[in-house]
């Protein structure tokens, strides 16, 4: 299957895209970011530098994954101290002496994660497989697999399934299966779907 990439979205050359993905208007995949197959970014959502988004992730509109941070303990929080961007093409700006800036590591989002409208996932955070990030959440800490988190700062509301079912889902890792192997499964019956996937994997 082919990527569906809107003409007004942006993908950095150094980004790694596993087809097929869908990128809607004004969405952006920044430098060295990676995005797994079947995932989509809705309008105006950004996967920032060096961030990872797994397979089968649903990202709503106005979501920021791993927005760039400024220093909090330098003379200033302004980027003039380390970056030539902003106010470019001016002589004084070109010759200005700057220091280094150690960027925080990117955010890592697992497979099958749904991120609601207007959510922000801060850099350095890992969101586990199967998690759901509620609309408007600001995720400041790691999110366990299959947790539903809401609020600012985001807190666990509940888990999608019981602990045993979550472990079985993580073991079966259905996102690594071929799409045709998933066709026709009774998706709305988690117990039966898991049983069928486990049986199919046992016969491989
Ligand atoms: C989190 C979400 C998935 C619902 O999960 P749920 O487990 O069904 O939650 P419920 O609706 O039963 O609500 C449970 C509690 O969480 C609260 N809550 C639900 N969503 C919330 C959110 N996004 N932020 C803050 N609190 C939220 C509810 O007010 C309720 O609080 P209470 O127990 O004090 O009454 C959903 O609310 C959400 O945010 N969906 C995203 C929608 C979206 O952005 N869609 C874009 C298109 S992809």
């Amino acid at each position: 299957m082919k990527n569906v990439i809107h003409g007004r979205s942006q993908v950095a050359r150094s980004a790694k895209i596993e087809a097929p993905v869908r990128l809607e208007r004004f969405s952006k995949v920044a430098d060295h970011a990676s995005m797994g197959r079947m995932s989509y970014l809705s309008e105006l959502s950004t996967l920032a530098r060096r961030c990872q988004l797994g397979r089968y992730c649903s990202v709503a509109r106005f979501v920021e994954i791993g927005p760039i941070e400024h220093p909090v303990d330098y003379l200033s929080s302004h980027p003039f101290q380390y970056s030539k961007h902003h106010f470019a093409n001016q002589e004084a700006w070109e010759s200005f002496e700057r220091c280094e800036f150690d960027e925080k590591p990117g955010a890592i989002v697992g497979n099958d994660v749904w991120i609601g409208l207007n959510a922000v996932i801060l850099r350095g955070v890992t969101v586990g497989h199967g998690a759901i990030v509620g609309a408007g959440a600001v995720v400041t800490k790691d999110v366990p697999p299959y947790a539903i988190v809401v609020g600012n700062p985001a807190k666990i509301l509940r888990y999608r399934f019981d602990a045993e079912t979550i472990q079985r889902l993580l073991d079966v890792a259905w996102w690594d299966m071929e799409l045709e192997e998933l066709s026709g499964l009774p998706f709305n019956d988690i117990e039966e779907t898991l049983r069928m996937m486990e049986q199919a994997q046992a016969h491989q």
Side-chain angles (χ1 to χ4, degrees):
M1 283 162 75
K2 289 184 189 158
N3 291 322
V4 180
I5 297 190
H6 193 281
R8 291 207 173 172
S9 60
Q10 282 180 54
V11 184
R13 279 205 190 157
S14 56
K16 281 201 188 118
I17 300 277
E18 182 191 34
V21 299
R22 180 181 168 87
L23 297 177
E24 295 185 0
R25 279 199 317 169
F26 306 118
S27 63
K28 180 176 172 183
V29 181
D31 301 333
H32 305 286
S34 67
M35 184 168 176
R37 67 176 186 236
M38 301 295 286
S39 290
Y40 64 88
L41 294 183
S42 302
E43 279 180 17
L44 284 155
S45 288
T46 297
L47 180 63
R49 276 169 64 78
R50 300 188 193 281
C51 291
Q52 298 171 27
L53 184 69
R55 295 173 172 168
Y56 298 89
C57 288
S58 311
V59 178
R61 288 184 294 158
F62 318 122
V63 167
E64 290 282 332
I65 301 173
I68 297 302
E69 309 243 356
H70 292 207
V72 293
D73 52 3
Y74 285 21
L75 170 69
S76 167
S77 58
H78 193 283
F80 82 91
Q81 303 162 112
Y82 53 88
S83 169
K84 276 191 185 178
H85 295 157
H86 317 292
F87 315 103
N89 303 327
Q90 298 174 59
E91 210 177 309
W93 193 240
E94 284 296 314
S95 60
F96 186 81
E97 287 185 39
R98 299 174 175 81
C99 67
E100 294 294 317
F101 177 51
D102 293 329
E103 191 177 78
K104 271 196 181 178
I108 298 175
V109 178
N111 302 296
D112 184 29
V113 174
W114 174 28
I115 305 175
L117 200 80
N118 254 319
V120 179
I121 297 175
L122 294 179
R123 295 185 78 79
V125 164
T126 296
V127 179
H129 304 309
I132 295 176
V133 175
V138 178
V139 182
T140 59
K141 294 197 171 99
D142 290 355
V143 176
Y146 288 92
I148 301 178
V149 298
V150 295
N152 177 5
K155 299 263 189 275
I156 298 174
L157 182 63
R158 64 183 179 90
Y159 285 83
R160 288 175 59 192
F161 304 110
D162 61 53
E164 189 201 339
T165 305
I166 291 173
Q167 192 53 55
R168 287 170 69 197
L169 283 160
L170 295 173
D171 290 343
V172 86
W174 61 265
W175 38 81
D176 293 334
M177 292 164 66
E178 295 304 324
L179 195 58
E180 48 273 28
E181 296 177 272
L182 301 170
S183 176
L185 287 172
F187 301 115
N188 53 358
D189 181 345
I190 189 66
E191 186 54 42
E192 183 59 7
T193 291
L194 263 173
R195 195 191 61 74
M196 288 171 74
M197 288 193 295
E198 286 163 346
Q199 201 174 39
Q201 290 187 356
H203 286 101
Q204 275 172 3

